[in-house]
Amino acid sequence: MTDTLQFKEFSSFVNISFWHELSNKKLDELKLSEEPLSLNAHYTFSPSQQLDPFLCLEFNAFLKNNNNNNNNNNNNNNNNNNNNNNNNNNNNNNNNNNNNNNNNNNNNNNNNNNNNNNNNKTIENTYVLPPRSYLSHGTLFNYNTVDDFKKSPKIKLFDEASKRIWNDIKNGNIDKDTSLLNRFILLTYADIKNHQFYYMFGIPALLPSQPIQLNEQPETINIESLKSFSNQILPQYFCLKQSSSSSSSSLSHSFELIGSIEEKGNEYFNECLNNNIIPLVGFCDPCSLPLNPGWPLRNFLIYLLVKYPKLKKLKVLCFRGNNNSSNNILLSLELSPLIQKSNNDDVDEWNGKSVGWEKDNNGKIAPRFVSLASTMDPLKLAEQSVDLNLKLMRWRVMPSLELEKIKSTSCLLLGSGTLGCNVARSLMSWGVRNITFVDSSKVSYSNPVRQSLFTFSDCLSSPKAKEKSIAAADALKKIFPAVNANAHVFSIPMPGHSVPPSEYQSIRNTIEHLENLIKQHDVIFLLTDSRESRWLPTMLSRAHNKLCINAALGFDSYLVIRHGIKNQCQNELNTSISSKLGYQGSDLGCYFCNDIIAPTDTLKDRTLDQMCTVTRPGLSMMASSIAVELLISTIHHPYGGRAKGETETDVYVQGSTPLGIIPHQLRGFISHYQTLPLFSNPYKHCTACSDFIINEYHSNGLDFIINVMNDSSHLTKICGIDDLKNNEINIDWDFNISDDEDI
C-alpha cells in the first residue's frame, strides 16, 4: 500500500533591513520604473519541528550573484571527495592569473593599488551566502501604486517563473547549476511616504500528472549513519551510496557521499539504471517534520524524471543538519508516471501546472503587510533592532524562549562596581528593560578600566566625582535610551557596624527604603564588595519571597548562587504541571548557610590591599555573565526560583529548561578553568534565612535590625547557634575564618 507524498512549503522571512534597502533603491535608482529586478534569497536547516522552513531575504538580496558563489557548497564538497585535481587546476589558474597581474603591474604601484581597491569593491558588491545556507534565485516586481499592485498579472508572472524552471530543465542549465530549480517571485508595493509595504511571495513547484507515491513510511536515519560526510559543507543535491553491516543484535546502515548532482549525477544514474539499482540521492532539507520533505525536493524530482525517463524508483535522503536532534529521514518513492508524454513524439512534457503562492495565517492566498513607520524614530529603531536580535534566537533556535517574560522582569542591583556594571550590560543584552542600581560610593580614577559603565569623565564631575549608581544608570541610557534605569545613593546597613541613637531614624528610613525596593523588584542581585553588606538584602529577600542571586569574587575564583525561596509557587500547586515534572519545588541554601558565625565588620582598619579589588580582571565578567544566565534559565522553569538545584555535568543530558540545567550554585576556578555546579540544602540555624531570623524580623522589625547592627552576635543567639555551642555539640569552630570576598 502506497501513500501520497506531501511536501512542506516555505514561509518567507523578510529581514527589516531588506525593506530599508528596497526603500533606498526605490528612491535612488528605480524611481518610477517597474522593471523587474533580480534577487537572491537563501534557506538553511530548521532547528525545530515547531518552525517552518524559511526562505530568507536580507539587506544584500539585491547584490549581484557571483557564479562561483552559486556552487560554493559544491566546491567545498568536491574538495572532500577526490576532486583535488580540478581544484588544483583552478588554483593553478588563479595563481597564474595573479602572477600575470602582478607582473603586468610591477612597474606601476599606483595601478596595483587601484586594482586592489576594485577587487575589494567587487567582493563587497557580491552576494555571499551565509554558512550552511543554499541559494534561491528570485525576481522582484515592484509597483508604483497600490492599484497597480492589486491589478498585477499574478497568474501570468507565476506561470512565467514556472516555465523558466521547466526551460532550465529541458535545455540543460540545471545540469550545471541545480540552484536554478529553486526560484521565487516577489510582488511588492512600497509606500515610501508612510514606510509601509505590501507583498506576495510565489515559490513555484512544477506539478506532475499524478501525485508522487511513497512505497513505505519514511525511515528515520541516525546521525551516526551519516558521520562520513555530515560535518562537510554539502551541495544542495548530491548522490549517495549505502552500505549495511550486521551485528549480533541489529542491522545498521551507513551512507557515503559520491558527489554533487552537477559533478557526478549523470555518471551515477546511468550506472544505476544499467545495473537495475535503485538510485540513492540526497538534498539539504530546510524542513524538519518527521514525515514530510521540504519544498526544494519537488522540482528536483521533476528534473530527474526528465533527465532519466527510465527512472521508476528512487530513494531520497532528507539531510537536515548534523545536530544530534536532526530528524534526517529516508524516503522510498514510486516515480512512475510523473510526466505526460506528448502526442507527437516520445518527448517528456510538463502539464503546465504549478503551485507555490505563500498563504496568510488563514490559509488564503492574499497580500501581506508590514509597516516600518515606527522604526523611523531612532529610538524605536533601536528598540526593534534589539528585540529582533533576540527574536531571531526564538525563531531560528529556541521557539520556547520567553522573551516577553524576560523583558518585563525588574532587577535590583545592589552594588554598582565591577560586578554591577557587567551584570547590567548582560541583562540589557537579554532584553531586560527595568534595572535599578544602589550604591553609596563615587567613581574613582581606578574604576573605569575595570567597571565597564564608567569613563574617565565620571571621575572629574564637578565639584566631586559622580556617584556610581547615578553614573551607571546614565551610562545604560546612553547605550540604549529605551532602558528604564534608575539609581539610588545610600549605604546598606550592616551587622557589626554600630550606629549611635542619634542616627536611628536615618537608619530606619534607609532600611525602609531598601525594603521597598526589594518589594518592587522581581530579582535581587547581591554584588557588593563586603560580606556583611549582603546580609540585610538576603534576609529581606527571604522574608518577601524574592529571587536573590549572589555573585562574589576571590583572586582567581568566583561563586554564583541563587538563594532559596521557601513559599510554594502557583505551578507547584497545579497538579498537571507538577505531575508532568515529577517533583515539587525545592528550598535552597543562601550565601550564609555554610556559616556558623555571624557576619561582622570587615571594613574597619583595612590595609591598602584590602581596600581595593584584588582579583583577576576577567573574573568579574565571567561571574557576572553566569549570574545573568542563571537568572534567564530560572525564568524558563515552571517553578522559577523554586526549581531544584541541578548538578548534571554531562552536556548531552537534557536539562529541566530549554536552556539546560539550573544549578543552585556555581563555583569557578580560573586557575584550572573549571566550573563546578554544586547544591546545598538550607541550614536551619542560618544567620540570614532561617525561620528563627525571619520570625524575629516579622516580630520586631526595624528594632531587630538595629540591634544586629550594634551587636552581630545577636544573630547567633536568635538562630540557635549559641545553643548548639553551649550544648557541647561537636563542632569544629574556626575563629580564623576570613570575612573577605575570597571563596
Side-chain angles (χ1 to χ4, degrees), residues 582-694:
Y583 61 88
Q584 289 292 316
S586 299
D587 193 8
L588 304 171
C590 78
Y591 184 64
F592 296 92
C593 275
N594 291 330
D595 292 353
I596 52 175
I597 61 172
T600 187
D601 188 353
T602 63
L603 306 180
K604 186 178 181 181
D605 298 327
R606 292 190 299 175
T607 59
L608 179 61
D609 63 305
Q610 293 173 328
M611 289 186 283
C612 300
T613 302
V614 182
T615 181
R616 292 176 65 167
L619 205 62
S620 67
M621 299 180 185
M622 297 170 64
S624 301
S625 300
I626 288 177
V628 173
E629 295 300 325
L630 182 59
L631 166 63
I632 301 303
S633 295
T634 304
I635 288 175
H636 285 80
H637 195 281
Y639 293 164
R642 290 273 298 170
K644 67 179 182 180
E646 298 172 296
T647 57
E648 181 60 62
T649 57
D650 187 346
V651 296
Y652 297 105
V653 174
Q654 179 68 38
S656 60
T657 76
L659 292 165
I661 68 170
I662 308 182
H664 171 215
Q665 53 183 291
L666 290 153
R667 291 182 180 264
F669 304 92
I670 198 173
S671 58
H672 290 75
Y673 298 94
Q674 186 178 27
T675 301
L676 300 177
L678 303 174
F679 164 78
S680 65
N681 290 308
Y683 180 40
K684 68 177 181 179
H685 296 290
C686 176
T687 58
C689 71
S690 66
D691 290 342
F692 300 106
I693 299 298
I694 302 303

Side-chain angles (χ1 to χ4, degrees), residues 30 59 116 171 247 251 388 392 442 462 474 523 557 657 694-695:
L30 296 179
F59 71 96
N116 289 335
N171 60 28
S247 63
L251 181 69
L388 178 62
L392 289 177
K442 297 179 181 294
S462 179
D474 290 345
V523 183
S557 59
T657 76
I694 302 303
N695 292 337

Side-chain angles (χ1 to χ4, degrees), residues 709-728:
M709 293 179 64
N710 290 326
D711 182 6
S712 61
S713 65
H714 191 56
L715 290 172
T716 58
K717 296 176 184 177
I718 295 173
C719 70
I721 288 179
D722 285 355
D723 292 337
L724 294 176
K725 179 181 177 183
N726 294 333
N727 290 334
E728 297 183 353

Side-chain angles (χ1 to χ4, degrees), residues 346-472:
D346 196 38
V347 178
D348 294 320
E349 286 296 334
W350 167 51
N351 58 23
K353 297 180 181 180
S354 57
V355 294
W357 283 109
E358 185 180 28
K359 299 176 182 178
D360 62 14
N361 295 331
N362 297 320
K364 298 180 179 180
I365 299 176
R368 296 194 173 197
F369 170 79
V370 61
S371 174
L372 303 187
S374 59
T375 66
M376 297 303 103
D377 178 358
L379 177 58
K380 291 291 184 181
L381 182 58
E383 285 189 77
Q384 291 198 3
S385 298
V386 169
D387 290 342
L388 178 62
N389 209 32
L390 294 166
K391 287 177 181 178
L392 289 177
M393 297 169 62
R394 179 167 63 187
W395 295 343
R396 298 183 179 181
V397 180
M398 191 172 297
S400 57
L401 203 59
E402 298 277 1
L403 294 180
E404 291 76 16
K405 196 172 181 180
I406 295 173
K407 185 176 181 179
S408 63
T409 300
S410 58
C411 297
L412 176 63
L413 276 55
L414 301 179
S416 307
T418 308
L419 289 169
C421 290
N422 291 328
V423 165
R425 290 301 300 260
S426 296
L427 287 172
M428 198 163 56
S429 298
W430 265 109
V432 175
R433 297 290 171 84
N434 300 291
I435 301 173
T436 301
F437 295 93
V438 172
D439 205 299
S440 62
S441 57
K442 297 179 181 294
V443 182
S444 65
Y445 288 106
S446 65
N447 293 153
V449 295
R450 286 175 176 254
Q451 300 173 10
S452 57
L453 293 179
F454 305 140
T455 63
F456 180 72
S457 60
D458 293 324
C459 309
L460 304 174
S461 298
S462 179
K464 296 181 179 180
K466 205 169 183 179
E467 284 81 3
K468 281 188 175 181
S469 58
I470 296 175

Side-chain angles (χ1 to χ4, degrees), residues 274-290:
N274 291 336
N275 294 283
N276 294 322
I277 299 173
I278 299 177
L280 171 61
V281 296
F283 80 106
C284 294
D285 190 359
C287 178
S288 60
L289 296 177

Side-chain angles (χ1 to χ4, degrees), residues 75-124:
N75 291 335
N76 287 330
N77 177 64
N78 292 337
N79 287 335
N80 296 308
N81 288 279
N82 300 324
N83 289 319
N84 291 329
N85 291 334
N86 292 334
N87 291 330
N88 289 334
N89 291 334
N90 291 333
N91 290 333
N92 291 334
N93 291 334
N94 291 334
N95 290 332
N96 291 333
N97 291 335
N98 290 333
N99 291 333
N100 291 334
N101 289 334
N102 290 333
N103 291 332
N104 291 334
N105 294 322
N106 278 337
N107 295 327
N108 194 327
N109 290 331
N110 291 332
N111 288 341
N112 281 334
N113 292 332
N114 291 336
N115 288 336
N116 289 335
N117 291 335
N118 290 334
N119 289 337
N120 290 335
K121 289 180 180 179
T122 300
I123 294 174
E124 292 175 357

